[in-house]
Amino acid sequence: MNAPAATELPVVVIGAGPAGLAAAAHLIDRGIEPLVLEAGPAAGAAVREWAHVRLFSTWGEVIDPAAEKLLAPAGWTRPDPAAYPAGRDWVDLYLQPLAAVLGDRVRTGARVTGVSRTGRDRIVDADREARPFLVHIAHAGGEERLFARAVIDASGTWATPSPAGGSGLPALGEKAAADRITYRVPDLKDPAVRARYTGRRTAVIGSGASAFTALAHLADLAKSDDGAGTKGVWILRRGISGSTFGGGEADQLPARGALGLAAKAAVDDGHADAVTGFRTEAIERAHDGRLILVGEDDRRLDPVDEVIALTGFRPDLSFLEELRLGLDERLQAPVALAPLIDPNQHSCGTVPPHGRRELSHPEQGVYLVGMKSYGRAPTFLAMTGYEQVRSVAAAIAGDLDAADRVELTLPETGVCGGAGLFDAPDAAEGDSGGCCAPAPQLVQLGVPAAAEVAAAEEAQAGGCCGS
């Protein structure tokens, strides 16, 4: 079967999450037909898996303008822009209605298994850019191939969490211990899930917003009427310094700042013990079935009943291997974007304006957007993805002036400093180096300030997941 001319083809968007649906809205606004392919059974499938978690961005920051333009004629009611949605709210009040308006342009249960150029593998140069993209998908009815004029990969990173192992590989024994390990923030309002952690000792591995959220939820469980004996063990690969708990009141997203204070309060109030400078190399079974975390130099921790590994995510690039991508060797993000988000250098949260130029690859017409564009880097915000897809849609439409006119100012985290020096001998006494601020000072645990406690209580309804 011969492929149609590229101008007659849709733009294939991979993933019906916030960035993917916004990309479709921007393409329609440009008069370009999108086809959104979602592996899950419904739009927002990944968000549905953390529906219980509240975002630290407000409604006003997680609704895309082009999507709102599509929704308005359908009688959609815009939520209070100052309120903080949970993941469930984001799906029910925005993502699902948007998918409904897009209609047949969104195909669910369609997993992309490969993307290439029609008749050209990644080796062949001849006539390459004139060839449409070829997209292979798998669904309940079997396999299918589709053609596209361009491909926007907004599939995210949710399906590929990083392991608990401190070297980037699963710790020895990690896979065998899968029955006691989760890589998501558990929903402690679900009775079955709550019973799993009530009265038990749980290790939380990680130092980002998701780890803060898990610690705060475990502390809340410990303080409840039925939570006696519930204890968290916070495993940190670095020492504890001012940056450990985020920017607090200096964070321009107040709910994000409050999350770190909630994690500090959990430790200060005795609901969690902090273990610093520990990178998990092995996970062993104790005689009673509990887990023993083993670190470098055979350092062994007391047994825990459960492990919550919240060590970040990584992109699945397997179905893109026939495309010529230009990715940073460390972050697996586009090479022009990587220096702007590299956590080895900075974590301030203020990313310089970027769009189609920073998201382009040697393979013209393919873009990684949304959380996937950040590769393994953290601190992604929904508003970043919306600006990315606006620029990319303009570029696909040939409006390069609009594509290059990127205006985006992200709220600062209130923390600056790189992760590259966490192995330094003085790491426990503050991170030296970083991009734009003096080294943070040592934080004393166990002596919470009144203001920190108040903010921590507010953060019990905090959020995670980079939005």
Side-chain angles (χ1 to χ4, degrees):
M1 181 174 77
N2 293 326
T7 54
E8 302 173 10
L9 296 172
V11 172
V12 162
V13 179
I14 305 173
L21 294 177
H26 281 277
L27 289 166
I28 290 171
D29 195 47
R30 290 278 178 177
I32 299 172
E33 193 65 16
L35 176 60
V36 183
L37 302 174
E38 168 57 51
V47 180
R48 293 172 192 270
E49 293 191 26
W50 51 268
H52 59 289
V53 178
R54 184 164 297 181
L55 282 70
F56 50 65
S57 294
T58 64
W59 271 115
E61 295 160 333
V62 298
I63 294 174
D64 176 77
E68 185 172 2
K69 182 178 176 181
L70 268 185
L71 285 163
W76 178 72
T77 301
R78 192 176 195 267
D80 177 1
Y84 291 90
R88 183 175 294 105
D89 304 322
W90 207 13
V91 169
D92 292 345
L93 302 180
Y94 172 64
L95 297 177
Q96 189 58 51
L98 179 55
V101 168
L102 290 169
D104 292 342
R105 297 181 176 102
V106 178
R107 290 183 60 179
T108 57
R111 179 176 298 279
V112 174
T113 58
V115 182
S116 186
R117 290 280 189 177
T118 304
R120 298 289 184 267
D121 62 22
R122 67 182 297 158
I123 299 174
V124 180
D125 291 332
D127 196 33
R128 185 177 190 87
E129 292 180 5
R131 297 275 178 152
F133 287 97
L134 177 67
V135 181
H136 280 199
I137 63 173
H139 47 67
E143 294 181 299
E144 185 179 349
R145 67 175 182 172
L146 305 171
F147 299 101
R149 62 184 287 184
V151 174
I152 300 175
D153 184 356
S155 59
T157 56
W158 178 255
T160 47
S162 295
S167 301
L169 302 173
L172 298 179
E174 182 172 344
K175 294 180 180 179
D179 60 315
R180 290 178 180 255
I181 302 176
T182 183
Y183 300 88
R184 310 284 190 260
V185 177
D187 182 2
L188 298 185
K189 292 183 179 180
D190 181 318
V193 176
R194 187 180 182 87
R196 177 174 174 176
Y197 297 94
T198 300
R200 297 190 173 186
R201 182 177 168 87
T202 299
V204 178
I205 306 175
S207 59
S210 293
F212 295 163
T213 302
L215 289 164
H217 288 184
L218 287 171
D220 190 49
L221 174 59
K223 291 182 286 186
S224 67
D225 292 340
D226 62 345
T230 303
K231 186 79 171 183
V233 182
W234 189 13
I235 311 298
L236 292 149
R237 294 172 180 172
R238 309 178 71 174
I240 288 181
S241 70
S243 64
T244 300
F245 303 99
E249 295 179 359
D251 195 319
Q252 293 178 1
L253 288 179
R256 181 173 61 186
L259 278 174
L261 297 179
K264 184 176 186 297
V267 177
D268 288 337
D269 294 343
H271 300 305
D273 296 326
V275 178
T276 61
F278 188 92
R279 284 186 286 175
T280 307
E281 297 299 329
I283 299 177
E284 299 177 354
R285 290 272 186 180
H287 63 85
D288 59 0
R290 293 192 296 167
L291 303 181
I292 299 172
L293 304 186
V294 183
E296 296 176 321
D297 301 325
D298 203 33
R299 181 182 174 189
R300 306 166 75 83
L301 303 184
D302 292 337
V304 296
D305 298 286
E306 301 286 341
V307 173
I308 303 174
L310 301 169
T311 53
F313 296 86
R314 54 187 60 180
D316 177 7
L317 301 168
S318 61
F319 58 87
L320 302 176
E321 62 183 5
E322 289 305 316
L323 298 178
R324 298 174 176 180
L325 301 181
L327 298 175
D328 179 77
E329 61 185 9
R330 292 171 297 176
L331 299 186
Q332 296 177 297
V335 290
L337 176 60
L340 310 182
I341 60 175
D342 188 350
N344 288 291
Q345 302 300 324
H346 56 80
S347 57
C348 304
T350 301
V351 179
H354 68 279
R356 65 102 183 178
R357 288 184 181 272
E358 291 79 8
L359 299 171
S360 295
H361 294 275
E363 190 81 67
Q364 294 186 22
V366 62
Y367 301 91
L368 276 58
V369 302
M371 291 188 72
K372 192 163 187 177
S373 72
Y374 269 38
R376 299 193 184 196
T379 70
F380 186 82
L381 295 172
M383 63 183 85
T384 303
Y386 296 157
E387 179 62 12
Q388 288 178 342
V389 298
R390 184 206 63 77
S391 174
V392 166
I396 293 172
D399 187 351
L400 299 187
D401 288 339
D404 292 337
R405 191 173 61 249
V406 180
E407 299 177 1
L408 176 65
T409 301
L410 294 178
E412 293 188 7
T413 63
V415 174
C416 288
L421 300 181
F422 74 94
D423 279 331
D426 61 347
E429 297 184 3
D431 303 328
S432 57
C435 65
C436 39
Q441 299 302 306
L442 175 69
V443 168
Q444 185 176 1
L445 296 176
V447 189
E452 290 176 338
V453 173
E457 290 174 351
E458 286 255 345
Q460 295 306 310
C464 74
C465 308
S467 296

